[in-house]
Amino acid sequence: MDARADLIDPFHRKITYLRVSVTDRCDFRCVYCMSEDMTFLPKKEILTLEELDKACTAFINLGVRKLRITGGEPLVRRSIMSFFESISRHLDSGRLEELTLTTNGSQLSRYAKQLAECGVRRVNVSLDTLVPEKFAKITRWGRLNQVLAGIDAAQDAGLRVKINTVALKGFNDIELFDIVGWCHARDMDLTFIEVMPMGDIGNEERLDRYWSLDELRSRLAERYTVSEVSESSGGPARYARIEETGQKVGFITPLSHNFCESCNRVRLTCTGELFMCLGQEDKADLRAALRNEADSDGALFEEAIRDAISRKPKGHDFDYSRQTVSGRVSRHMSHTGG
């Protein structure tokens, strides 16, 4: 299929980055992402791997150049490697510049080598603590040694690993320099993320845990020289360099510094819902168009995508500045895709 006109939103931002959740299921129950007793979606509502491939291909034909696979935990989806193997054809053709994923690391020992063979060059691993007991507490079901083994496997397979750490006051603030030093020693990039008000999982506790990255960065500056860098990975992070070590550290700040003005991404859920903004409730249901048997050339699906992009808002409204959580959204992070 020939390339079509690029996707441009109402604020003249080109959409080149698609995050796709391939499952709402996960083998962890991280406290800021899921309820402990989650009710997962029925199988009939979940897009098949073939449908996910069709949807991703349509977006690539419309100018998407970066595809990030998320979940839940994407690597717990049955036969997920067949999806990576299929979608890698767009890397071979040059239509897709990057295929990557965000994972909790639990299944990397099993899949890292295959991911590399499919053209994946880097992965983001979510890891909020280096203390086994604290890791078990925040993930509820997770085992730190399993994740560390997965990171070993990823690096052995030649994958570049970036650690994503949610900044949590009273939890991992005392580990700040340990995490920074550990990532430096293993030659891994590191990004800190402010906790976001998503899902009904105890928002008052989350308000207490909110740690502004302005404060975190000030703490870093007490020990290190922290310099701005202009580099961008195509995502929402702003980057700095720790001069004493040379390592790059990212900061994703949906609350303390809104990053919406340069937003180039949308999120497709495993049920075919397209969220044009992580922090807004508006969505477009693309599943009906995707499953329309009369749409043999994909024209209706393309029209549905373009209509959705025409509704992409200027930004989100997350705000922790008051003693209540405003601008929060009702869905869990695992539903939209991490």
Side-chain angles (χ1 to χ4, degrees):
M1 185 184 295
D2 294 332
R4 313 282 180 85
D6 290 334
L7 295 172
I8 308 293
D9 79 1
F11 304 95
H12 308 291
R13 298 169 299 195
K14 183 184 294 186
I15 307 305
T16 58
Y17 181 1
L18 177 67
R19 301 174 67 104
V20 180
S21 173
V22 296
T23 180
D24 65 328
R25 296 174 185 270
C26 187
D27 49 351
F28 293 175
R29 295 290 184 276
C30 294
V31 297
Y32 52 77
C33 182
M34 286 187 173
S35 298
E36 186 168 9
D37 185 21
M38 285 290 290
T39 300
F40 292 108
L41 297 165
K43 185 175 181 180
K44 66 179 180 180
E45 294 185 17
I46 304 295
L47 298 182
T48 67
L49 294 177
E50 291 76 14
E51 289 170 335
L52 285 165
D53 186 302
K54 179 181 177 182
C56 291
T57 297
F59 274 95
I60 292 167
N61 288 334
L62 293 172
V64 161
R65 293 295 173 260
K66 178 176 179 178
L67 185 62
R68 177 174 295 280
I69 308 306
T70 69
E73 168 49 47
L75 297 181
V76 302
R77 172 94 190 238
R78 187 187 298 270
S79 302
I80 188 59
M81 290 314 301
S82 66
F83 170 80
F84 278 98
E85 290 164 3
S86 177
I87 211 72
S88 68
R89 70 189 185 278
H90 297 299
L91 291 171
D92 296 336
S93 72
R95 301 288 294 280
L96 184 65
E97 295 174 3
E98 183 174 29
L99 173 63
T100 185
L101 78 154
T102 295
T103 172
N104 64 25
S106 68
Q107 305 299 315
L108 279 177
S109 291
R110 180 181 180 186
Y111 290 120
K113 187 173 184 295
Q114 289 174 264
L115 288 167
E117 290 170 350
C118 291
V120 174
R121 295 292 172 257
R122 63 189 182 100
V123 297
N124 289 359
V125 178
S126 301
L127 182 63
D128 301 324
T129 177
L130 297 174
V131 179
E133 296 78 14
K134 290 169 67 174
F135 184 85
K137 180 178 179 181
I138 198 167
T139 64
R140 295 192 180 105
W141 295 4
R143 299 187 303 278
L144 180 60
N145 62 348
Q146 183 179 0
V147 173
L148 297 181
I151 291 172
D152 288 341
Q155 291 191 309
D156 288 345
L159 299 176
R160 182 73 184 171
V161 175
K162 179 166 75 70
I163 301 299
N164 285 346
T165 298
V166 176
L168 298 166
K169 185 182 295 184
F171 180 78
N172 57 13
D173 46 356
I174 62 173
E175 295 183 70
L176 174 61
F177 296 110
D178 291 337
I179 292 171
V180 170
W182 177 72
C183 287
H184 171 59
R186 298 202 53 152
D187 189 27
M188 297 185 297
D189 292 327
L190 169 64
T191 291
F192 290 104
I193 306 170
E194 288 176 336
V195 66
M196 288 177 275
M198 299 187 69
D200 184 14
I201 51 177
N203 283 287
E204 295 313 313
E205 178 182 353
R206 185 159 41 191
L207 176 62
D208 293 337
R209 292 293 192 194
Y210 168 62
W211 184 18
S212 164
L213 293 193
D214 282 344
E215 294 180 25
L216 184 153
R217 185 163 173 163
S218 294
R219 285 270 300 279
L220 279 178
E222 293 172 4
R223 183 175 298 187
Y224 298 116
T225 305
V226 183
S227 304
E228 292 283 351
V229 296
S230 58
E231 179 180 345
S232 172
S233 65
R238 293 182 171 92
Y239 291 96
R241 179 180 296 105
I242 297 178
E243 297 296 343
E244 287 79 359
T245 65
Q247 74 192 105
K248 183 177 69 174
V249 178
F251 303 89
I252 296 180
T253 54
L255 292 112
S256 61
H257 294 285
N258 186 300
F259 47 69
C260 303
E261 70 278 356
S262 60
C263 183
N264 64 341
R265 59 207 160 274
V266 290
R267 288 170 166 82
L268 183 68
T269 74
C270 56
T271 60
E273 294 174 327
L274 188 72
F275 283 91
M276 290 71 78
C277 174
L278 177 63
Q280 300 284 3
E281 295 282 14
D282 187 32
K283 62 188 177 185
D285 186 357
L286 301 184
R287 187 172 60 194
L290 189 62
R291 291 180 171 176
N292 188 333
E293 294 181 0
D295 189 29
S296 58
D297 62 354
L300 293 178
F301 187 59
E302 177 182 329
E303 182 180 349
I305 293 172
R306 292 191 183 280
D307 178 70
I309 299 304
S310 74
R311 307 203 313 265
K312 184 171 170 63
K314 188 173 184 179
H316 63 247
D317 302 312
F318 292 146
D319 185 6
Y320 275 118
S321 62
R322 297 173 290 281
Q323 288 305 302
T324 58
V325 181
S326 67
R328 78 183 174 199
V329 296
S330 60
R331 66 188 183 276
H332 291 93
M333 191 69 172
S334 60
H335 175 82
T336 312

